[in-house]
Amino acid sequence: MPITLDKQLAAIDVLRQENIFVMDSQRARTQNIRPLKILVVNLMPKKANTEVQLLRHLANTPLQLEVEFLYMASHKSKNTSNEYLENYYRTFADIKDKRYDGMIITGAPVEQLPFQEVDYWSELCQLMEWSKTHVYSSLHLCWGAQAGLYYHFGIDKQPLEKKLSGIYEQEVVGTSPLLRGFDDSYRCPHSRYTTIYPDQLKKCSLQILAEGPEVGVAIAASDDLRQIYSFGHLEYSRDTLSEEYHRDLNAGINPLLPVNYFPDDDPEKKPRLTWSLAASTFFSNWINYAVYQETPYDLAELD
């Protein structure tokens, strides 16, 4: 929760420069409390796994959240039953007249396809256009981040020579409340065949907040945090990369061993969990700074 101080107190400017969670008393007196409405656009194949991963971090806040899940009606899921989706998920048609404080667009295992060849691309574009006036802060993850950059700014993903798979070091290079509590560097899982390079964002209105030599841009965001792009998988559980590796191995793909992940590079050993603190901090900061402090009480005021 924020520290509430008199608006004229000299310390407020210093605290804000240090990314301390401050709300002036004038704002506090006029702020009513209500649950924050969060929409999760789940594009991952094993939707239940992704639900757990994201909710684990979204729950790490004292704020009350109302979370809804959305799937692409134009895509037939191979790993999740229609019955499950119809019972627990919404479609764009169901929610197009609603407004949300925050939205998360997840990754998807389609990064080797041109965007226009993804079967639900048209529907996703419609959703991203709608989000400009119906969502306060949109958080895009991995392929969702690449899709968002392409749709909103025309910036296309770049192919890598080999799959980026493992736990990689990123350097914090920008100042933002989104990275409050982070050390100068942190580790994050990545699992993709494409990337975004820092030079691609030079003519873009986004600030690069974190990057790494292997991963390229790690996190970028607009100054007002209404558009956030995270190209890794901070939400991943300890075993997610292991499950992907063994899945590909059993499918005869002959995958590369995820780097900096298995002890002694032995895929039969329990993977190291080295990104949990960064993940918890990142999602809590998004909820607290990008959503809670900024979203209007009446979501009809979104523009």
Side-chain angles (χ1 to χ4, degrees), residues 5 12 25 27 33 37 72 83 103 107 170 185-186 216 223 234 263 285 288-289:
L5 300 171
I12 283 185
S25 55
R27 171 71 193 276
I33 302 299
K37 299 182 183 297
M72 297 284 100
E83 181 181 7
M103 177 178 72
Q170 280 98 170
S185 64
Y186 67 97
D223 288 339
L234 278 170
N285 285 350
N288 287 334
Y289 296 113

Side-chain angles (χ1 to χ4, degrees), residues 138 140 145 148-150 152-153 155 196 198 200-209 217 219-231:
S138 296
H140 309 71
L149 276 188
Y150 184 71
H152 291 294
F153 301 100
I155 297 171
I196 298 292
Q200 293 181 266
L201 300 189
K202 282 187 175 179
K203 296 182 179 180
C204 178
S205 59
L206 301 174
Q207 179 189 8
I208 298 175
L209 301 180
V217 179
I219 301 174
S222 60
D223 288 339
D224 59 7
L225 299 184
R226 294 196 66 174
Q227 293 285 329
I228 300 168
Y229 302 88
S230 176
F231 299 89

Side-chain angles (χ1 to χ4, degrees), residues 43-45 47 71-83 85-86 118-120 123:
L43 306 177
M44 294 293 276
K47 300 195 183 305
Y71 75 100
M72 297 284 100
S74 51
H75 175 73
K76 183 172 177 57
S77 178
K78 298 178 182 178
N79 297 279
T80 306
S81 70
N82 287 334
E83 181 181 7
L85 294 174
E86 290 171 3
V118 176
D119 59 5
Y120 52 80
E123 183 180 2

Side-chain angles (χ1 to χ4, degrees), residues 10 15 118 148 200 256 275 294:
L15 291 171
V118 176
Q200 293 181 266
L256 295 173
W275 63 93
E294 302 298 336

Side-chain angles (χ1 to χ4, degrees), residues 15-192:
L15 291 171
R16 284 179 173 159
Q17 289 173 7
E18 296 177 3
N19 292 328
I20 303 301
F21 198 3
V22 174
M23 180 182 293
D24 66 68
S25 55
Q26 180 177 330
R27 171 71 193 276
R29 282 193 298 270
T30 61
Q31 187 186 50
N32 292 312
I33 302 299
R34 60 163 177 78
L36 297 175
K37 299 182 183 297
I38 307 296
L39 180 67
V40 176
V41 183
N42 192 350
L43 306 177
M44 294 293 276
K46 295 185 177 180
K47 300 195 183 305
N49 290 354
T50 303
E51 293 165 19
V52 171
Q53 292 168 5
L54 289 173
L55 291 174
R56 179 183 292 127
H57 296 296
L58 293 179
N60 190 32
T61 170
L63 302 172
Q64 184 178 352
L65 309 181
E66 290 182 358
V67 182
E68 294 183 32
F69 289 89
L70 183 142
Y71 75 100
M72 297 284 100
S74 51
H75 175 73
K76 183 172 177 57
S77 178
K78 298 178 182 178
N79 297 279
T80 306
S81 70
N82 287 334
E83 181 181 7
Y84 183 85
L85 294 174
E86 290 171 3
N87 285 336
Y88 303 112
Y89 275 64
R90 304 287 183 266
T91 65
F92 179 64
D94 296 327
I95 59 93
K96 62 184 179 64
D97 295 324
K98 299 177 68 174
R99 286 175 167 81
Y100 295 86
D101 299 287
M103 177 178 72
I104 297 174
I105 299 179
T106 73
V110 294
E111 69 268 26
Q112 290 179 289
L113 292 175
F115 290 113
Q116 290 81 359
E117 292 185 16
V118 176
D119 59 5
Y120 52 80
W121 178 246
S122 178
E123 183 180 2
L124 185 60
C125 288
Q126 188 179 15
L127 177 76
M128 290 190 287
E129 183 63 29
W130 164 90
S131 73
K132 294 178 181 179
T133 53
H134 289 73
V135 176
Y136 192 80
S137 179
S138 296
L139 172 58
H140 309 71
L141 305 178
C142 200
W143 182 84
Q146 296 180 348
L149 276 188
Y150 184 71
Y151 178 77
H152 291 294
F153 301 100
I155 297 171
D156 206 350
K157 61 187 186 298
Q158 302 299 310
L160 293 165
E161 293 183 1
K162 59 183 180 180
K163 185 178 182 180
L164 190 74
S165 177
I167 312 302
Y168 296 90
E169 198 86 6
Q170 280 98 170
E171 295 290 328
V172 174
V173 296
T175 301
S176 170
L178 199 62
L179 297 183
R180 177 178 176 254
F182 274 64
D183 294 323
D184 291 342
S185 64
Y186 67 97
R187 291 186 170 190
C188 175
H190 288 261
S191 179
R192 49 189 165 89

